[in-house]
Amino acid sequence: MKRVIALLCLFGLVAAACGGGDDSDEPIKFGFLNGQTGDYGPWGAWALWAAEVAVEELNAAGGVLGRTVELVVEDNGSTPEGAVSGYAELTDVDGIDALGGIESDGMLAVFDTVHEQQLPTICSTCGTTELDTTGGDYVFRIIGSDTDNGIIGAQVARDEGYDNVAMLVELSEGTISPADVFKTVFTEQIGGTITEDVRFDAGRSSYSAEVARAFDSGADAVYISVGFETGVPILNEWKRRGYSDVPLILTTDLLSPDIAAVVGEVEGASAVVAAAAYDTEGNPAWDAYVPRFEAKAGDPPEIGFYDAWQYDQYIILGLAMEKAGTTDGAAVAAAIPQITNPPGVEVFTYASGLAELQAGNEIDYHGTTSNMNLNAVGNLQSPVMAVSAVTDGSWQVRDYVELDPTLEKPSS
Amino acid sequence: MQNIVFGIVTGSTLAVATIGFAMVYRTENFLNIAHAQMMALGGFIGVVLVDSYGWNIFAAGAVTVVSVGALGVVVAAVFFRPVRHLGGTVLLFTSIGVSLMLYAVIIALFSTQARFYPVGFGGRYEIAGVNVLTADLVIVGLAFASIIALQVFLNGTGLGRAVRATASNGELARVRGVPVGRVSNTIWFISSAFGAMAGVMIGVLSSVNAEIGWHHILTVLAAAVLGGLRSISGVIVAGLLLGIVMDVSVLYIPSAYRPVVAFGVLVAVLVLRPEGLLAVQRRKEAAVT
Amino acid sequence: MSEAGEAAAAGSILRVRGLDAGYGGFPVLHGVDLDVSAGEIVAVVGPNGAGKSTLLKTIFRLLPAQAGSVRFDGADLRRTPAHGLAAMGMGYVPQENNTFPDLSVRDNLAVALRGQNPIEIRRKIRAVGEAYPALAGRMGQNASTLSGGERQMLALASAMITSPKFLALDEPTTGLAPSIVRERIDDILRIRDAGTTLLWVIEESPLLCLPHVDRVFVMQAGVLDPPVTSQAVLEDAALHSLFFGVDQAAEQSPD
Amino acid sequence: MTNPVFWVGVLTLALIYGSLAMVLNVESGWGGMWDLGVAGLLASGAYCYIILGIDDPDLGTRFVPGLPMWLAWPLAAAFTGLVALAIALPSLRLRREYFLITTLAFAEIIRQIAVIQADLTRGTTGFSSLDRPFDTLVEPRDYNYVLLGIVAFAALVVYLITRRIGTSAYGRTLRAARDNEALALALGKRVNRMRIKTFVVAGVLIGAIAPLYLFYIRAITPQLFAPGITFTIWTALVIGGIGSIRGGLVGAVVLIVFTEAVGLIEVDPQYINILVSIEPFLVGLLLVLVLRFRPDGLISERNAFGTRAGRRARRVPA
């Protein structure tokens, strides 16, 4: 019934949409461009809820520069072409003042245009190694690079004492990228052996054959870099087929309660370890964020769904705009590292950051999942990685580790 | 051996998914791209009933199959029948339009989030070193039971005979007094119902999301074409064979190349046997089309 | 209903008036008038592409009529769907594709018996087997495996299995050896004797077939001339060569 | 109404699709070859163009040919022609549905190769920050107009070429063979050779258009060449009118402008899944309605050639 009402509302909105004006100096517009449909669709709703929580927080604190903030949403269909046309719509039609939400491949497609148009852009889900050495002027990344994700996987494998590891890798940029780093670091720097490197396309009706090939290869552990919707059936296979005595090393994408539930059902499953750049324990920003997200989404936030970073990006954009005192793209972009990096008063919410800025103080915004200290190319500085394991059917952080500086991806 | 078991499971779902597609092709003479969206719809309705309303999987499956089957009849009446006289080209592209619309409805109703069937069917058996799950048995059993039921219906009942007659020679069927409207409704019902059943099976084996229709249409097309488009038993053999080839090939080639190999095999088979695996000689038809 | 009474009174079981039809934009039939009286055998002859098959397809509503009417037993067929004609007692054996190639011989015969009880169906099929021993041994085979002659036999048998009042035959002797043609003619005469009215399209073997028909309609370029006797056609040398001397190889399709 | 720059971009994309649809019409509309593998040919051209132009060894690819744009472009077109030849030789022996699935399979194979052969294509990462013609001559903000000019010129050239093909004796034979299989059989080998030639010519044209698409996207990944793009081009052609010279162009403009205009609808984010469903729904509806009420497309072949060779006439049962 709710759907029907929504559909009815829609007709009114369609009619109203044609009149939408721009260039008025009323609300500040933050663009939100990501895949609500297509391959990233399963993450779309979570990302949007987080973005809405952030914008609501900005407005509750009186807006940015005294103006209300409006979130302008555009679906890119999870394709670069959709990113290009969605970006054009956001900038040319809606006249957004800053952009967030976009994924790796879309980011790379609009990267040059962002610079030409001097649009402050935060990429909250771009793991791509392409951004390891570029960015910092207008494009900032507040999530760990796939390089870091790959290295920490190898580091965990080393520390757990696994010599032979099999790999299960889905053929998509976000999953191949860390897996390739993992493979290089694990074999070349740690001296481990990859018993099988099984790569496959997603969207299959079952993954039995792939799982069997990886788990029957005599590995000490299996490294799995797949999307969440592929991960659940793969772990179901792992559980049902009796491979559950083989430990797993999972990537951040799989840090979700669904996965934990599957793992948790296995009696005495040996250590299941996931690694990701996050640090939420005793973090006031996270503690403030969780209930508000849950109120919006009906479920608590999930690290593997990247929603927290979607939230952080708009808080950062709001604070940077306040810091710059203008919506001018170049000024806002320049202000982003100023409010995320020390020195300054450490703040965890928009309201407190705003108060400090208005008092004339420097601030250092600490995000929901980690500090947001950015380096010269707009990447997170040496993120702290969390190694988690399943306890009582849910993910619990086992320990926080720093990347071993001796493990570095050799430049290819 | 293990992989043959996997292949049989994959192949059974593929055969179930393809049968409906092939039936519509045989009787209505067009490639119904929208068939895959019926699969997605089935997957979603089933998961909502099981996951959100706590239904038993078999009850949910039955309701899903019947309701999607009925929807198929409606879709055919609203979208396909009015343009039927315009021929296969128009029907094919109409089906692409219908696919987009059904896809939109799926997103609007179920959103784009992935859903999982919370059913495991428990047990696992080691039979001669081969790992077999209850879920495998249930799926293969259900697939074969429904295929056999379909065969019994087609071969043993008057309506079934009328369906086969329509598929074999639609014009003559009309001359012989076969009520084409009812037969067509029956075909659309069976086709969509089988699509929905495949959707539920894929959902149970893996996951359901709004994209699965687009993901599976290529494999369905491949299995249908490999089976020779016009023969139901050919489709079943082709589905099983394709499933087994795909799952066994994982053992011998780098798995990344598997899609390449699968499609490569398809191209090779078509070039060597242009009418499909179990082709009867139909030279005359080939010359006419 | 008065018209219906009139037609019945005149003994005309099939009555075609001013029929225009064609494929897509191409008109093929032009104002065809045709009457068939109960109990007779009426032939339609004419050269390739004259529109003979088109006429039958239009009567049986496989092609839409653009103008004109077809009445059977007094009822206007425009109100009946194509598949309803069989129930009215109209049988039809098309020239090509007149069997279900993927169905067994038994199923080919049974298609028209849909809705009858299985014992009855079996009895009727057995009767066909007795009438056509060649088919009796092949009941389980697919129709596509039959020879040309057997296929024609099956087509005729499956049209007759419902004992229609009226039967239209489109070239039932195409490509058959003369001895088999004679067998088919005997079948046709038996059908007539059993009380079925026949409309018979003849193109090959006129010398064998025409003597058995009551009246002949000559069709030329989509126009049907008034009926003549078969004797008249056979004796008219000009007609004879025009219709039956043409190169058979060109016979493919009406367009 | 809205910022003209936005519509410049929309029109650019529409003209690229329009050019591709006009080419598709030559092989499918006139040649009767139901090609569902346009994405594969487009990928071949695009990747060949990009790989030949690589001049940065740090990208980590095996080859660093560093060819200038003006050389890489025609070579990419030629290479795509060769790929088309390789596809045509086995596939053209197959009849319609089988040809259709074979070309689709080839396109998927090409895309998978682009994913797997990372040392050539950089896999799923692909390439970004591409050079574009004349990009040093104008301000980046004005480049959209330059690109529109280039693309419009290309569309005009494609239009002239395809019109030339369509009205020539060659084009007439091609259409006649499509409409009349008996004639095609009678002409035998010649028709087959003609179809292969047509397929290759279409390949060359698609390969030549491919870089334009990259100039618009400014990045290349295998995902660009998923079957979706083929379906979009086909949809444009069907809406515009299969068989008509301008049909593809008109259809693409209608389809892309319509799609982008639908995208301008704004709703409250809480109805996002309904918002995102509007576009596929309306595009699907557009397709269904056009086919129901104008089954020959907006511009029918009949009008295009002033002949009675309507599509309905072709479906005469034998």
Side-chain angles (χ1 to χ4, degrees), chain D residues 184-245:
Chain D
L185 289 177
L187 293 174
K189 260 200 181 125
R190 198 153 76 81
V191 166
N192 202 36
R193 196 175 305 150
M194 206 162 77
R195 286 179 176 164
I196 290 175
K197 205 161 105 189
T198 309
F199 199 82
V200 171
V201 167
V204 169
L205 287 173
I206 291 170
I209 297 167
L212 296 174
Y213 186 58
L214 297 186
F215 300 152
Y216 173 80
I217 301 289
R218 309 189 75 170
I220 177 171
T221 67
Q223 197 54 32
L224 278 180
F225 308 104
I229 193 169
T230 304
F231 285 116
T232 307
I233 298 165
W234 263 107
T235 304
L237 180 58
V238 169
I239 289 175
I242 300 176
S244 101
I245 303 171

Side-chain angles (χ1 to χ4, degrees), chain A residues 102-137:
Chain A
I102 198 164
E103 307 90 353
S104 291
D105 43 3
M107 184 70 246
L108 293 175
V110 301
F111 188 84
D112 290 342
T113 317
V114 162
H115 282 78
E116 286 157 13
Q117 303 189 344
Q118 307 188 334
L119 185 75
T121 299
I122 295 183
C123 198
S124 52
T125 54
C126 297
T128 179
T129 52
E130 290 290 276
L131 284 180
D132 287 359
T133 51
T134 52
D137 301 324

Side-chain angles (χ1 to χ4, degrees), chain D residues 25 30 159 163 166-167 175 240-247 296 298-307 309:
Chain D
N25 180 52
W30 297 336
Y159 169 71
R163 193 181 65 169
T167 52
R175 293 202 301 279
I242 300 176
S244 101
I245 303 171
R246 284 171 296 138
D296 291 332
L298 298 174
I299 301 176
S300 73
E301 179 171 11
R302 213 178 313 227
N303 298 340
F305 292 100
T307 65

Side-chain angles (χ1 to χ4, degrees), chain A residues 3 36-39 41-42 46 198-199 203-206 208-210 212-213 228-229 232-233 240-242, chain B residues 3 6 10 107 109 112-113 116 119 124 131 133 136 202 205-207 209 211 215-216 247 250 253 255-256 258:
Chain A
R3 307 279 186 205
Q36 292 290 321
T37 59
D39 291 343
W46 294 75
V198 184
R199 304 200 171 201
R204 306 205 352 86
S205 53
S206 85
S208 318
E210 288 80 3
R213 182 157 177 190
F228 150 76
E229 55 191 293
V232 173
R240 294 180 198 161
R241 300 267 176 212
Chain B
N3 286 56
F6 296 151
T10 309
I107 294 175
L109 291 178
T112 53
Q113 283 167 279
F116 305 98
V119 284
R124 177 169 67 88
N131 205 328
L133 302 183
D136 297 344
I202 289 169
L205 283 173
S206 124
S207 64
N209 66 72
E211 303 299 317
H215 280 153
H216 286 97
D247 280 347
V250 170
I253 49 162
S255 48
R258 198 178 60 167

Side-chain angles (χ1 to χ4, degrees), chain A residues 120-173:
Chain A
T121 299
I122 295 183
C123 198
S124 52
T125 54
C126 297
T128 179
T129 52
E130 290 290 276
L131 284 180
D132 287 359
T133 51
T134 52
D137 301 324
Y138 293 96
V139 174
F140 302 89
R141 167 164 71 182
I142 57 169
I143 195 165
S145 162
D146 289 340
T147 310
D148 298 338
N149 284 325
I151 293 172
I152 190 72
Q155 189 175 325
V156 166
R158 180 196 65 185
D159 296 347
E160 296 285 330
Y162 306 140
D163 298 323
N164 303 303
V165 174
M167 299 171 72
L168 276 168
V169 184
E170 181 182 326
L171 288 170
S172 80
E173 170 64 7

Side-chain angles (χ1 to χ4, degrees), chain A residues 147-148 151-152 155 382-385 401-407:
Chain A
T147 310
D148 298 338
I151 293 172
I152 190 72
Q155 189 175 325
S382 61
V384 173
M385 310 299 279
V401 293
E402 300 227 353
L403 281 186
D404 183 341
T406 61
L407 299 178

